[in-house]
Structure formats: C-alpha cells, structure tokens
Amino acid sequence: MRRNRNTSLDTAVTDFILLGLAHPPNLRAFLFLVFFLIYVLTQLGNLLILLTVWADPKLHARPMYILLAVLSFLDMWLSSVIVPRIILNFTPASKAIPFGGCVAQLYFFHFLGSTQCFLYTLMAYDRYLAICQPLRYPVLMNGRLCTILVAGAWVAGSIHGSIQATLTFRLPYCGPKQVDYFFCDIPAVLRLACADTTINELVTFVDIGVVAASCFVLILLSYANIVHAILKIRTADGRRRAFSTCGSHLTVVTVYYVPCIFIYLRAGSKSSFDGAVAVFYTVVTPLLNPLIYTLRNQEVKSALKRLRSGRGNADGAK
C-alpha cells in the first residue's frame, strides 16, 4: 500500500478521531447501556475469580488456577483499554484521542492481547500434561515453572506490543485523521499513513497473524491429544468432568483466536465487517471467561461456596 500525499511538519496529525462502531442513531442510548453493562460485569466477574483463587489455598497452589487468575487480570485490563472508549463514542463527548493516547492504546492492546494469546497456549499445555501425563504432572508443571512461563508470556507480550507500536507510529501521519474503527488498531491506523505501509503489513501478517495461528494450532494439537486420552477413561463421570473442563477452555479460545486470525491475516482489508468481528475478542471474550470458568468449573464453584460459608460463620461470630 502506497501513499502519494505530501507530508510536512505543518500538517502532522496531533490527534485522531475514532469514528466508533456504526450504529443507528436511535439505538445510541441502548448500545451505551449494553456496553456499560458488559464492562461492569466483565470487571466484577474477573475480580471475583481473582479473589477466589487468591483466598482459597486449594486453588492458588495449583498451576491451572494460577493461570486462570492471570487470565482474569489480563481480561480486566484488556477490557479497560477498549470498552470505555466504545462507551464514550455513544455519548455527545468528543471522539478525539490524542496522538500519544492512540500510541498507548495500540501498545497496551497488543501487549495484553498477545500475552493472553501465549497464556491460552500455556493453559492448553497445562491441561495436556494434567490429563495425558497425570503421574508426571507435579514434576512437569509445578508452581515455580508456572511462574517462569507466565513471566515469559508477559515479557514476550511486552516486546510484541513495543514492536507493533514503534513500527506503526514511526510512519508520518498528515491527515485525514479519522480512524474508521472503535479503537486505535494497526489496520485502521495504517490506512491513514502518508507513506508506504508494505513492511508494516508484512510484519503484522507474520508477527500477529502467523503467531496467533501457530498458537491456535498448538492448542488444537494439545486438545486432540487430550480428547484421545479422555476417550480412554473408563468411567462416564470421569469423561464428563474432563470434557467439561477442556470444553470450556476450548470455547473461549475459539471465540478469541478465530476473529483475531480473521482480521490480522487480512491486514490490508477495508471491510466494515472487521469492526463487528473485533468486538468478539475485545469485548465478548473478557466477559465470557469468568462466566464459563465459574459456571462450568466445579472446583471454582466449590471454592465460592467455601468463601460464602466462611464469611457467614465470621458474621455469626460477631
């Protein structure tokens, strides 16, 4: 993609206008309430999981729930980077975002999003070891190794976000400054650049699309082995519990990865459908995680019951 516009310091863009999600004007108030409710439920649901894992000794000593707590923490911040800006677009407030704010939003979105991508892969690997290598699981996945892997995911995510933000905003932007999207993301911002964006699109394809697709393939391979192991379980109850735990994880992973791959493997696309697809992994997935992991995970539900009963006993003692 090449730009033929003339660039100069006098016409450099100092802010952008986020056009937001296309919607009928008469639904503005309704959509404001919907996204506001989604944001509140996302924060409360993920906070509940964080507190439950932290407060219950049976959960925070196990790698599976350490990873789940980290996922909830990521979801809270990822939602906070995106959803408040969507909500603001349904109000009469200015849709402008400062240039620095746009840089920060793009960086944190890709930092948190890629860290989440790596974390889903770690969660699949953890379930693979727990089900396919149960006798060796305490050795292969202990608390120390889990901490190291999570730290590695955070570092890799930070590097990824820095690379994408640097490459995107090293380009000159001289107008127009209307971003036809609901947040500052790479494909939408690159369309406004006054320079050749071929290298950026190639890096986006490789660094995001291919990496995300590779992680997704690794997750599917892990679950293929898991399903094969589950089918060997003799008791129907054992198969049901294993399928329930893994099925919830795979549901969330699919909702996150498929739209992500769809968008970033088509970095040069100008389809208005991309915004609707992006809502799934930026807004819906952070909401689904606490719902699926609490409603379909018996151990989390048991921990919540223990917390409630403990609080009730404490109140009675007073």
Side-chain angles (χ1 to χ4, degrees):
M1 182 187 299
R2 294 188 176 275
R3 305 291 184 189
N4 295 319
R5 305 187 189 103
N6 294 322
T7 64
S8 68
L9 293 176
D10 294 336
T11 58
V13 169
T14 57
D15 61 2
F16 292 99
I17 305 296
L18 293 175
L19 297 183
L21 293 169
H23 62 279
N26 59 328
L27 292 180
R28 182 170 298 172
F30 173 75
L31 291 173
F32 172 89
L33 292 175
V34 168
F35 280 94
F36 179 78
L37 183 62
I38 287 174
Y39 180 68
V40 171
L41 292 176
T42 298
Q43 298 301 307
L44 292 178
N46 284 291
L47 181 61
L48 180 63
I49 289 182
L50 269 177
L51 294 177
T52 302
V53 173
W54 174 78
D56 194 295
K58 293 183 178 180
L59 296 186
H60 67 234
R62 296 175 57 184
M64 173 182 175
Y65 295 102
I66 294 174
L67 295 173
L68 178 58
V70 174
L71 178 63
S72 293
F73 182 77
L74 282 169
D75 280 334
M76 291 177 69
W77 282 101
L78 184 62
S79 177
S80 296
V81 169
I82 302 299
V83 182
R85 174 57 63 171
I86 298 177
I87 295 172
L88 189 64
N89 281 334
F90 296 125
T91 69
S94 171
K95 295 177 173 57
I97 180 171
F99 189 90
C102 192
V103 174
Q105 188 181 50
L106 188 146
Y107 165 75
F108 280 109
F109 171 71
H110 284 278
F111 165 37
L112 297 169
S114 58
T115 302
Q116 191 173 62
C117 177
F118 299 136
L119 190 68
Y120 280 134
T121 309
L122 292 178
M123 293 176 76
Y125 178 64
D126 173 75
R127 290 300 84 205
Y128 163 75
L129 292 178
I131 294 174
C132 300
Q133 306 279 343
L135 298 180
R136 301 178 60 199
Y137 177 75
V139 176
L140 295 174
M141 180 61 80
N142 52 50
R144 181 174 179 275
L145 178 59
C146 181
T147 302
I148 293 173
L149 291 175
V150 169
W154 280 94
V155 171
S158 178
I159 293 172
H160 164 83
S162 298
I163 290 173
Q164 294 300 330
T166 301
L167 286 177
T168 301
F169 291 101
R170 72 177 177 83
L171 299 173
Y173 292 89
C174 54
K177 59 181 184 178
Q178 291 185 332
V179 180
D180 191 13
Y181 214 52
F182 58 94
F183 71 104
C184 289
D185 198 14
I186 296 169
V189 173
L190 284 183
R191 289 197 287 268
L192 305 181
C194 305
D196 184 11
T197 61
T198 303
I199 294 178
N200 295 73
E201 291 174 7
L202 179 61
V203 172
T204 299
F205 178 86
V206 174
D207 189 35
I208 301 178
V210 174
V211 170
S214 299
C215 288
F216 189 49
V217 169
L218 289 174
I219 291 172
L220 293 180
L221 288 175
S222 296
Y223 278 99
N225 285 292
I226 289 171
V227 170
H228 181 70
I230 290 175
L231 293 176
K232 293 181 179 180
I233 299 176
R234 294 184 178 182
T235 63
D237 183 61
R239 289 195 298 269
R240 181 187 60 78
R241 290 180 61 187
F243 270 124
S244 177
T245 300
C246 297
S248 61
H249 182 195
L250 199 55
T251 299
V252 173
V253 165
T254 301
V255 172
Y256 179 81
Y257 274 98
V258 172
C260 184
I261 294 170
F262 173 81
I263 287 178
Y264 292 107
L265 288 183
R266 303 161 51 256
S269 171
K270 297 182 180 180
S271 174
S272 58
F273 184 62
D274 288 354
V277 172
V279 168
F280 279 94
Y281 67 89
T282 57
V283 179
V284 177
T285 300
L287 174 66
L288 285 180
N289 283 338
L291 293 175
I292 289 178
Y293 283 111
T294 54
L295 295 178
R296 300 193 61 183
N297 189 299
Q298 190 59 45
E299 290 181 298
V300 173
K301 288 191 288 186
S302 298
L304 287 170
K305 290 178 182 178
R306 288 194 295 270
L307 287 177
R308 285 200 300 268
S309 63
R311 181 175 297 175
N313 293 336
D315 292 342
K318 292 179 182 180

mmCIF file of all heavy atoms in Angstrom, residues 6-7 16-17 29 50 62 78 98 119 122-123 132 164-165 169 175 206 238 265 278:
data_model
loop_
_atom_site.group_PDB
_atom_site.id
_atom_site.type_symbol
_atom_site.label_atom_id
_atom_site.label_comp_id
_atom_site.label_asym_id
_atom_site.label_seq_id
_atom_site.Cartn_x
_atom_site.Cartn_y
_atom_site.Cartn_z
ATOM 1 N N ASN A 6 1.637 14.476 0.299
ATOM 2 C CA ASN A 6 2.825 15.201 0.735
ATOM 3 C C ASN A 6 2.784 15.344 2.246
ATOM 4 O O ASN A 6 1.750 15.634 2.832
ATOM 5 C CB ASN A 6 2.874 16.598 0.090
ATOM 6 C CG ASN A 6 3.050 16.516 -1.410
ATOM 7 O OD1 ASN A 6 3.776 15.658 -1.910
ATOM 8 N ND2 ASN A 6 2.382 17.410 -2.130
ATOM 9 N N THR A 7 3.920 15.108 2.885
ATOM 10 C CA THR A 7 3.979 15.217 4.330
ATOM 11 C C THR A 7 4.809 16.426 4.712
ATOM 12 O O THR A 7 5.767 16.786 4.061
ATOM 13 C CB THR A 7 4.614 13.953 4.940
ATOM 14 O OG1 THR A 7 5.956 13.872 4.491
ATOM 15 C CG2 THR A 7 3.853 12.706 4.533
ATOM 16 N N PHE A 16 -6.325 11.941 16.706
ATOM 17 C CA PHE A 16 -7.142 11.166 15.782
ATOM 18 C C PHE A 16 -8.599 11.237 16.231
ATOM 19 O O PHE A 16 -8.901 11.515 17.399
ATOM 20 C CB PHE A 16 -6.692 9.700 15.745
ATOM 21 C CG PHE A 16 -5.335 9.496 15.131
ATOM 22 C CD1 PHE A 16 -4.208 9.338 15.917
ATOM 23 C CD2 PHE A 16 -5.188 9.432 13.753
ATOM 24 C CE1 PHE A 16 -2.958 9.138 15.360
ATOM 25 C CE2 PHE A 16 -3.941 9.233 13.177
ATOM 26 C CZ PHE A 16 -2.827 9.087 13.981
ATOM 27 N N ILE A 17 -9.488 10.970 15.293
ATOM 28 C CA ILE A 17 -10.914 10.906 15.586
ATOM 29 C C ILE A 17 -11.363 9.454 15.422
ATOM 30 O O ILE A 17 -11.289 8.894 14.318
ATOM 31 C CB ILE A 17 -11.744 11.804 14.638
ATOM 32 C CG1 ILE A 17 -11.224 13.240 14.665
ATOM 33 C CG2 ILE A 17 -13.218 11.737 15.014
ATOM 34 C CD1 ILE A 17 -11.368 13.929 15.987
ATOM 35 N N ALA A 29 -28.555 5.182 22.882
ATOM 36 C CA ALA A 29 -28.730 5.021 24.337
ATOM 37 C C ALA A 29 -28.736 3.543 24.721
ATOM 38 O O ALA A 29 -28.145 3.151 25.733
ATOM 39 C CB ALA A 29 -30.025 5.693 24.782
ATOM 40 N N LEU A 50 -10.344 -13.655 40.559
ATOM 41 C CA LEU A 50 -9.065 -13.289 41.181
ATOM 42 C C LEU A 50 -9.119 -13.459 42.700
ATOM 43 O O LEU A 50 -8.223 -14.067 43.300
ATOM 44 C CB LEU A 50 -8.722 -11.839 40.842
ATOM 45 C CG LEU A 50 -7.888 -11.563 39.597
ATOM 46 C CD1 LEU A 50 -7.730 -10.066 39.404
ATOM 47 C CD2 LEU A 50 -6.518 -12.220 39.703
ATOM 48 N N ARG A 62 -2.293 -24.414 42.789
ATOM 49 C CA ARG A 62 -2.324 -25.263 41.597
ATOM 50 C C ARG A 62 -2.095 -24.418 40.342
ATOM 51 O O ARG A 62 -2.716 -23.360 40.174
ATOM 52 C CB ARG A 62 -3.664 -25.999 41.496
ATOM 53 C CG ARG A 62 -3.900 -26.962 42.648
ATOM 54 C CD ARG A 62 -5.268 -27.583 42.573
ATOM 55 N NE ARG A 62 -5.466 -28.278 41.300
ATOM 56 C CZ ARG A 62 -6.625 -28.836 40.957
ATOM 57 N NH1 ARG A 62 -7.671 -28.759 41.773
ATOM 58 N NH2 ARG A 62 -6.736 -29.450 39.804
ATOM 59 N N LEU A 78 -7.487 -5.582 29.635
ATOM 60 C CA LEU A 78 -7.783 -5.524 28.200
ATOM 61 C C LEU A 78 -9.129 -4.863 27.953
ATOM 62 O O LEU A 78 -9.275 -4.020 27.056
ATOM 63 C CB LEU A 78 -7.769 -6.941 27.612
ATOM 64 C CG LEU A 78 -7.961 -7.062 26.100
ATOM 65 C CD1 LEU A 78 -6.831 -6.363 25.350
ATOM 66 C CD2 LEU A 78 -8.034 -8.528 25.679
ATOM 67 N N PRO A 98 -5.856 11.901 21.669
ATOM 68 C CA PRO A 98 -4.542 12.484 21.377
ATOM 69 C C PRO A 98 -3.629 11.462 20.697
ATOM 70 O O PRO A 98 -3.792 10.247 20.868
ATOM 71 C CB PRO A 98 -4.006 12.863 22.769
ATOM 72 C CG PRO A 98 -5.211 12.939 23.641
ATOM 73 C CD PRO A 98 -6.187 11.950 23.107
ATOM 74 N N LEU A 119 -0.830 -17.063 26.932
ATOM 75 C CA LEU A 119 -1.375 -17.677 28.137
ATOM 76 C C LEU A 119 -2.363 -18.790 27.792
ATOM 77 O O LEU A 119 -2.376 -19.841 28.444
ATOM 78 C CB LEU A 119 -2.057 -16.616 29.003
ATOM 79 C CG LEU A 119 -2.468 -17.079 30.402
ATOM 80 C CD1 LEU A 119 -1.236 -17.355 31.257
ATOM 81 C CD2 LEU A 119 -3.341 -16.023 31.080
ATOM 82 N N LEU A 122 -0.368 -21.772 27.100
ATOM 83 C CA LEU A 122 0.118 -22.375 28.337
ATOM 84 C C LEU A 122 -0.982 -23.152 29.052
ATOM 85 O O LEU A 122 -0.736 -24.230 29.616
ATOM 86 C CB LEU A 122 0.677 -21.301 29.272
ATOM 87 C CG LEU A 122 1.952 -20.589 28.840
ATOM 88 C CD1 LEU A 122 2.348 -19.520 29.861
ATOM 89 C CD2 LEU A 122 3.085 -21.588 28.661
ATOM 90 N N MET A 123 -2.190 -22.626 29.034
ATOM 91 C CA MET A 123 -3.312 -23.307 29.680
ATOM 92 C C MET A 123 -3.619 -24.626 28.981
ATOM 93 O O MET A 123 -3.939 -25.628 29.634
ATOM 94 C CB MET A 123 -4.538 -22.390 29.699
ATOM 95 C CG MET A 123 -4.372 -21.164 30.580
ATOM 96 S SD MET A 123 -5.780 -20.025 30.525
ATOM 97 C CE MET A 123 -6.966 -20.905 31.546
ATOM 98 N N CYS A 132 -2.902 -36.108 30.103
ATOM 99 C CA CYS A 132 -2.130 -37.112 29.347
ATOM 100 C C CYS A 132 -0.893 -37.604 30.093
ATOM 101 O O CYS A 132 -0.374 -38.680 29.789
ATOM 102 C CB CYS A 132 -1.715 -36.537 27.987
ATOM 103 S SG CYS A 132 -3.102 -36.046 26.950
ATOM 104 N N GLN A 164 5.097 -3.493 17.527
ATOM 105 C CA GLN A 164 3.964 -3.053 16.716
ATOM 106 C C GLN A 164 3.717 -1.554 16.854
ATOM 107 O O GLN A 164 3.448 -0.865 15.860
ATOM 108 C CB GLN A 164 2.704 -3.843 17.099
ATOM 109 C CG GLN A 164 2.764 -5.319 16.764
ATOM 110 C CD GLN A 164 2.963 -5.556 15.276
ATOM 111 O OE1 GLN A 164 2.527 -4.761 14.434
ATOM 112 N NE2 GLN A 164 3.628 -6.654 14.935
ATOM 113 N N ALA A 165 3.796 -1.031 18.074
ATOM 114 C CA ALA A 165 3.570 0.406 18.273
ATOM 115 C C ALA A 165 4.669 1.229 17.605
ATOM 116 O O ALA A 165 4.392 2.254 16.969
ATOM 117 C CB ALA A 165 3.501 0.719 19.768
ATOM 118 N N PHE A 169 3.837 3.803 14.411
ATOM 119 C CA PHE A 169 3.883 5.251 14.601
ATOM 120 C C PHE A 169 5.225 5.874 14.214
ATOM 121 O O PHE A 169 5.440 7.065 14.451
ATOM 122 C CB PHE A 169 3.510 5.593 16.041
ATOM 123 C CG PHE A 169 2.062 5.311 16.338
ATOM 124 C CD1 PHE A 169 1.694 4.167 17.019
ATOM 125 C CD2 PHE A 169 1.071 6.163 15.878
ATOM 126 C CE1 PHE A 169 0.359 3.889 17.270
ATOM 127 C CE2 PHE A 169 -0.269 5.891 16.120
ATOM 128 C CZ PHE A 169 -0.627 4.752 16.817
ATOM 129 N N GLY A 175 -2.859 13.538 7.831
ATOM 130 C CA GLY A 175 -4.269 13.739 7.521
ATOM 131 C C GLY A 175 -4.684 12.960 6.285
ATOM 132 O O GLY A 175 -3.850 12.706 5.430
ATOM 133 N N VAL A 206 3.008 -11.522 9.745
ATOM 134 C CA VAL A 206 3.893 -12.537 10.332
ATOM 135 C C VAL A 206 3.813 -12.531 11.853
ATOM 136 O O VAL A 206 3.589 -13.567 12.491
ATOM 137 C CB VAL A 206 5.355 -12.316 9.875
ATOM 138 C CG1 VAL A 206 6.292 -13.280 10.603
ATOM 139 C CG2 VAL A 206 5.465 -12.497 8.371
ATOM 140 N N GLY A 238 -15.893 -39.625 34.835
ATOM 141 C CA GLY A 238 -14.550 -39.110 34.603
ATOM 142 C C GLY A 238 -14.431 -38.455 33.245
ATOM 143 O O GLY A 238 -13.818 -37.391 33.102
ATOM 144 N N LEU A 265 -4.766 -11.611 9.486
ATOM 145 C CA LEU A 265 -4.264 -12.231 8.262
ATOM 146 C C LEU A 265 -4.771 -11.485 7.037
ATOM 147 O O LEU A 265 -4.411 -11.805 5.918
ATOM 148 C CB LEU A 265 -4.670 -13.710 8.186
ATOM 149 C CG LEU A 265 -3.949 -14.659 9.143
ATOM 150 C CD1 LEU A 265 -4.394 -16.098 8.908
ATOM 151 C CD2 LEU A 265 -2.434 -14.547 8.985
ATOM 152 N N ALA A 278 -14.194 -7.828 15.471
ATOM 153 C CA ALA A 278 -13.247 -7.484 16.531
ATOM 154 C C ALA A 278 -13.923 -7.368 17.894
ATOM 155 O O ALA A 278 -13.269 -7.536 18.930
ATOM 156 C CB ALA A 278 -12.534 -6.181 16.198
#
